[in-house]
Amino acid sequence: MQPFWKIALAAAAIAASALSGAQEIKARFGTSLPDSHPQTLGARKFAERVEAKTAGRIKVAVYSAGQLGSDLQMQAALQGGTQEFAAPSTATLAGLVKDFGVLGLPFSFADEKEADAVLDGPLGRKLLAQLPARGLVGLAFWENGFRNVTNNKRPIVRAEDIAGLKVRTMQNSLYIDMFSGLGANAVPMSVTELFTALESHAVDAQENPYTVVHAQKFYDVQKYLSTTGHAYDALALIVSKKFWDRLSAADRQAVQAAAAEATVYERTTSRALNAQLRAELAHLGMQINDVSPQERARMREKLQPVIAKYTAGAGEETAREFFAAIEQARKP
Ligand code: EAX
């Protein structure tokens, strides 16, 4: 714990510099994933753009790989004003604003194009607009990507193959229910603890996009990667409202513009890496099997009660808008 007077001094320093409009403003951006993952690459690009747009006046220091805590802890730190930026999975945000839960509903998006259309459209803006009431400001949606199951027991060929596996999930009730719904034993924990849990066989399995499997070196402790693609995981670039409120209008504009540029970069990088890392993971010794569309449909069928529960839980109106936006994106 930092002594109170130190925190008070630091806060006063930030407030003073914002008021003068000339002094340096320091901010911290925390990510839960390693330096090579798009979450952290995006954070560094964002930091670079913010600095460029403010002539070096706003400095954003990036702390990767959970150095500032788990996604959940960082979210709380942003709310409390002891950390400025983060880009957690939107699944984490669903614990604060239930409407975010629609984004993680299994087997909703067919591809990234649909996700972009929904996230950058009215539904995405409506979700972000709910954050200030919770002490956060949402700047943009980034990408983690489609999540696939890895384990060290067997390839997931049929939906039933997931049953009985001890699967690490994110600390989010939708993901816990999703894997329980497929007959697995869901074990929620932070991604920062996951490598050790897999290595020590505390869990058999986990689910994440190729980029996370590669960045976290899960190929060293997991044999099988099955392309379940059960959910698209969007990240949200968020900022502490306490910090945001201290910025001048011009600085806010600069930060928004930096966020827009970093978003294009982060998504492009995520897509390029996800496309290239599948072959790399096979090369590193993982056995990769494609799950058939029929089996994915069977998984979706088994998850109907979970989908119904979280559709209702996220709010009828939000859910209706979410599915309508996907339909709209699908139109040629
Ligand atoms: O921040 O926790 C997870 O599995 C997520 O993929 C990731 O950490 C997003």
Side-chain angles (χ1 to χ4, degrees):
M1 273 301 279
Q2 289 228 44
F4 172 75
W5 63 267
K6 267 198 183 169
I7 297 170
L9 274 182
I14 292 171
S17 62
L19 284 176
S20 80
Q23 275 170 323
E24 206 171 86
I25 299 174
K26 280 192 176 3
R28 281 152 303 171
F29 194 138
T31 69
S32 54
L33 295 167
D35 289 347
S36 61
H37 188 276
Q39 187 190 51
T40 307
L41 295 170
R44 294 203 195 284
K45 171 65 78 180
F46 172 71
E48 171 207 311
R49 296 317 300 151
V50 168
E51 205 167 322
K53 285 177 189 301
T54 59
R57 217 166 25 74
I58 305 185
K59 292 213 160 37
V60 181
V62 177
Y63 297 87
S64 64
Q67 289 175 72
L68 299 184
S70 69
D71 277 347
L72 267 181
Q73 288 165 331
M74 291 193 280
Q75 190 172 287
L78 260 62
Q79 289 182 287
T82 56
Q83 181 185 326
E84 290 72 33
F85 295 98
S89 168
T90 48
T92 323
L93 284 169
L96 276 184
V97 177
K98 60 182 177 38
D99 302 56
F100 273 88
V102 290
L103 300 179
L105 287 175
F107 303 105
S108 300
F109 295 114
D111 54 34
E112 290 88 353
K113 214 175 102 245
E114 285 182 14
D116 286 355
V118 173
L119 295 166
D120 297 342
L123 190 267
R125 283 194 290 277
K126 193 174 155 181
L127 291 176
L128 295 181
Q130 293 191 59
L131 291 174
R134 299 309 189 124
L136 303 170
V137 174
L139 299 178
F141 288 102
W142 286 3
E143 171 171 293
N144 197 11
F146 284 96
R147 302 177 73 95
N148 295 315
V149 173
T150 71
N151 75 89
N152 54 12
K153 295 272 190 217
R154 54 182 174 263
I156 310 297
V157 178
R158 290 174 50 83
E160 286 74 15
D161 293 329
I162 295 176
L165 291 174
K166 260 193 264 171
V167 183
R168 173 273 175 175
T169 68
M170 286 192 274
Q171 294 160 299
N172 162 267
S173 62
L174 166 60
Y175 274 85
I176 295 170
D177 286 354
M178 212 189 290
F179 281 87
S180 305
L182 293 170
N185 182 356
V187 184
M189 72 178 77
S190 158
V191 74
T192 52
E193 295 164 18
L194 183 48
F195 184 92
T196 308
L198 292 168
E199 190 178 37
S200 66
H201 303 287
V203 293
D204 310 309
Q206 67 86 40
E207 45 81 49
N208 256 303
Y210 295 121
T211 49
V212 178
V213 176
H214 187 260
Q216 296 272 37
K217 299 191 167 48
F218 293 156
Y219 50 80
D220 277 344
V221 285
Q222 297 276 272
K223 177 78 189 158
Y224 305 102
L225 189 158
S226 308
T227 61
T228 48
H230 49 278
Y232 177 81
D233 189 21
L235 308 175
L237 172 56
I238 53 174
V239 48
S240 163
K241 186 169 184 296
K242 286 190 174 163
F243 175 75
W244 188 251
D245 288 346
R246 285 196 295 265
L247 293 180
S248 68
D251 281 348
R252 279 186 211 156
Q253 219 167 34
V255 171
Q256 281 281 14
E261 288 177 22
T263 298
V264 174
Y265 166 84
E266 196 278 343
R267 286 178 180 172
T268 308
T269 306
S270 170
R271 281 155 209 183
L273 285 176
N274 269 323
Q276 147 202 340
L277 288 176
R278 176 190 161 113
E280 176 63 15
L281 290 170
H283 178 72
L284 287 163
M286 292 195 91
Q287 188 179 310
I288 301 183
N289 71 291
D290 279 318
V291 179
S292 72
Q294 290 80 356
E295 286 305 312
R296 296 175 80 237
R298 288 187 62 236
M299 288 175 196
R300 190 175 199 282
E301 203 40 52
K302 284 179 191 290
L303 290 174
Q304 270 318 325
V306 175
I307 295 171
K309 175 179 166 185
Y310 286 87
T311 299
E316 210 178 294
E317 196 189 316
T318 305
R320 199 174 357 92
E321 285 172 17
F322 174 68
F323 291 117
I326 295 180
E327 280 305 307
Q328 183 65 34
R330 254 169 221 176
K331 283 193 186 137

